[in-house]
Amino acid sequence: MSQKRDYYEVLGVSRSASDDEIKRAYRKLAKKYHPDRNPDDAAAEANFKEVQHAYDILKDPAKRKQYDQYGEVGVGEWGTGPTGEQVYQWGGSKVNVEDLEELFSSFGGGGRGSGIFDDIFGGGFGGGRTGRRGRTAQPVAQRAADQQQEVPVSFDQAISGTTLALSLSTGRGREKVEVKIPPGVEDGQKLRLRGRVPAPPGGKPGDLILIVRVRPHAYYTRRGADLHVEVPVSLWEAALGAKIEVPSLDGATVMTLPAGTSSGAKLRLKGRGLVKVGAGDRGDLIVTIKIVPPKSPTPEQRELLERLAAGSTEHPRESCPWFAGVSK
């Protein structure tokens, strides 16, 4: 099992830190290690996940109390082993339900019915089937398996966030639920609705996991917090330069097209993209230029274009590696 750092150490706070101090430390580190700020950085991604997990425990008063008293084992979760047996797992470790007495006795004699069992399992570790070595192992409340469903949202809803009234299949039949879609949600992102899957007899409910599917936009595409849009321009706008109108999330905006801009050129409008999750600032709007020649030039336009071609001393393909030795 790999050695994990203390959750307080991960966030860089003392064990007596207030809730506000923990929240401020989390926000600072989440901003520092967020994948949007560290693309293709595996170490930053690992740090981000570690910070998120530490905060998930310490922001919850009950889980923080369990962690302070018993460490990581106190905030583990129940799962199912490969042969269907109940296991208790934390960090990279897990233990069969029948071996829990030995595990918790290592905390000072804390076996079944002791304070540590009551603290961690809330009295739900009672009941009786016979385990190995002749002990009576107590049945653990079964937890319903989590269920997944896909939820379609529009591009605009994914960008701005919204609350949707959905009719979902939760195991009780169709159920109307309100789902909050956070701003900046991405296609394929998962949202967890806790306790929406009905519990088995004497057990605990599972979670409904929604997989967000973002419908394509008419003209925007998205890469992280940056928005991309293709803007057509005329031949003379590209050659001479112009002020052109482009769409943005803040409404139509005017940008300068430099003279001599080539088709496929990418121009960047800083801060006109999406709000970065956990950061507060915004990505950029990337405008890709597409030069559109006149489809049916007038005789005058054709004459001007022919004069331009005849007087040109430049060749658009002369920089290509395969151009050498080819005449105009």
Side-chain angles (χ1 to χ4, degrees), residues 60-106:
D60 185 311
K63 290 182 179 179
R64 183 179 178 183
K65 180 180 178 182
Q66 295 288 92
Y67 179 72
D68 287 347
Q69 188 167 2
Y70 305 117
E72 195 172 14
V73 68
V75 289
E77 296 181 345
W78 288 106
T80 303
T83 58
E85 74 277 13
Q86 289 290 299
V87 295
Y88 186 71
Q89 44 198 5
W90 68 97
S93 300
K94 62 182 178 180
V95 63
N96 189 292
V97 62
E98 296 176 356
D99 294 325
L100 282 173
E101 286 184 79
E102 291 183 2
L103 169 68
F104 289 107
S105 65
S106 66

Side-chain angles (χ1 to χ4, degrees), residues 13-32:
V13 298
S14 68
R15 300 186 76 85
S16 61
S18 67
D19 292 343
D20 285 342
E21 289 173 327
I22 289 173
K23 183 182 293 186
R24 285 196 299 271
Y26 161 71
R27 287 178 174 174
K28 180 180 178 181
L29 292 171
K31 182 176 180 180
K32 177 180 179 182

Side-chain angles (χ1 to χ4, degrees), residues 120-140:
I120 294 181
F121 304 119
F125 196 79
R129 70 176 186 272
T130 302
R132 60 185 182 184
R133 304 187 187 93
R135 296 198 305 264
T136 301
Q138 308 299 322
V140 177

Side-chain angles (χ1 to χ4, degrees), residues 241-292:
K243 298 286 187 180
I244 61 173
E245 187 177 89
V246 299
S248 77
L249 297 180
D250 307 308
T253 187
V254 175
M255 69 177 298
T256 299
L257 182 69
T261 299
S262 60
S263 193
K266 297 183 185 298
L267 306 179
R268 184 181 298 267
L269 291 177
K270 299 287 291 184
R272 294 300 185 97
L274 307 182
V275 175
K276 297 178 181 178
V277 178
D281 55 342
R282 292 174 59 174
D284 302 332
L285 176 64
I286 312 298
V287 178
T288 300
I289 299 301
K290 179 183 179 182
I291 297 177
V292 180

Side-chain angles (χ1 to χ4, degrees), residues 10-313:
V10 169
L11 297 181
V13 298
S14 68
R15 300 186 76 85
S16 61
S18 67
D19 292 343
D20 285 342
E21 289 173 327
I22 289 173
K23 183 182 293 186
R24 285 196 299 271
Y26 161 71
R27 287 178 174 174
K28 180 180 178 181
L29 292 171
K31 182 176 180 180
K32 177 180 179 182
Y33 294 121
H34 197 279
D36 284 348
R37 289 196 162 195
N38 304 274
D40 302 322
D41 187 334
E45 181 179 359
N47 285 332
F48 181 78
K49 291 179 179 179
E50 184 180 39
V51 166
Q52 184 66 60
H53 181 65
Y55 180 64
D56 287 343
I57 298 301
L58 298 185
K59 73 177 180 180
D60 185 311
K63 290 182 179 179
R64 183 179 178 183
K65 180 180 178 182
Q66 295 288 92
Y67 179 72
D68 287 347
Q69 188 167 2
Y70 305 117
E72 195 172 14
V73 68
V75 289
E77 296 181 345
W78 288 106
T80 303
T83 58
E85 74 277 13
Q86 289 290 299
V87 295
Y88 186 71
Q89 44 198 5
W90 68 97
S93 300
K94 62 182 178 180
V95 63
N96 189 292
V97 62
E98 296 176 356
D99 294 325
L100 282 173
E101 286 184 79
E102 291 183 2
L103 169 68
F104 289 107
S105 65
S106 66
F107 289 93
R112 186 171 62 250
S114 69
I116 184 171
F117 265 67
D118 290 339
D119 285 347
I120 294 181
F121 304 119
F125 196 79
R129 70 176 186 272
T130 302
R132 60 185 182 184
R133 304 187 187 93
R135 296 198 305 264
T136 301
Q138 308 299 322
V140 177
Q142 295 283 338
R143 182 180 182 278
D146 294 340
Q147 296 182 16
Q148 294 188 355
Q149 292 189 35
E150 293 191 353
V151 177
V153 299
S154 70
F155 195 89
D156 291 336
Q157 287 172 327
I159 289 174
S160 304
T162 188
T163 298
L164 300 178
L166 303 176
S167 177
L168 300 174
S169 175
T170 64
R172 304 182 184 95
R174 305 301 295 183
E175 180 179 352
K176 291 184 178 180
V177 298
E178 281 197 347
V179 179
K180 185 176 181 180
I181 306 297
V185 67
E186 298 194 44
D187 184 60
Q189 186 169 333
K190 295 181 180 180
L191 304 176
R192 184 179 294 270
L193 302 182
R194 298 193 179 278
R196 293 288 185 172
V197 178
K204 298 179 180 180
D207 299 340
L208 181 63
I209 300 171
L210 303 181
I211 304 175
V212 178
R213 294 302 180 198
V214 182
R215 293 190 289 268
H217 194 269
Y219 45 86
Y220 287 129
T221 57
R222 175 183 177 185
R223 296 175 190 169
D226 291 339
L227 281 182
H228 291 249
V229 64
E230 184 179 78
V231 176
V233 300
S234 67
L235 180 62
W236 34 90
E237 284 177 323
L240 301 175
K243 298 286 187 180
I244 61 173
E245 187 177 89
V246 299
S248 77
L249 297 180
D250 307 308
T253 187
V254 175
M255 69 177 298
T256 299
L257 182 69
T261 299
S262 60
S263 193
K266 297 183 185 298
L267 306 179
R268 184 181 298 267
L269 291 177
K270 299 287 291 184
R272 294 300 185 97
L274 307 182
V275 175
K276 297 178 181 178
V277 178
D281 55 342
R282 292 174 59 174
D284 302 332
L285 176 64
I286 312 298
V287 178
T288 300
I289 299 301
K290 179 183 179 182
I291 297 177
V292 180
K295 293 182 179 180
S296 302
T298 65
E300 292 81 4
Q301 289 173 334
R302 179 176 292 277
E303 181 183 355
L304 287 173
L305 291 171
E306 289 174 348
R307 289 168 55 189
L308 177 64
S312 174
T313 59

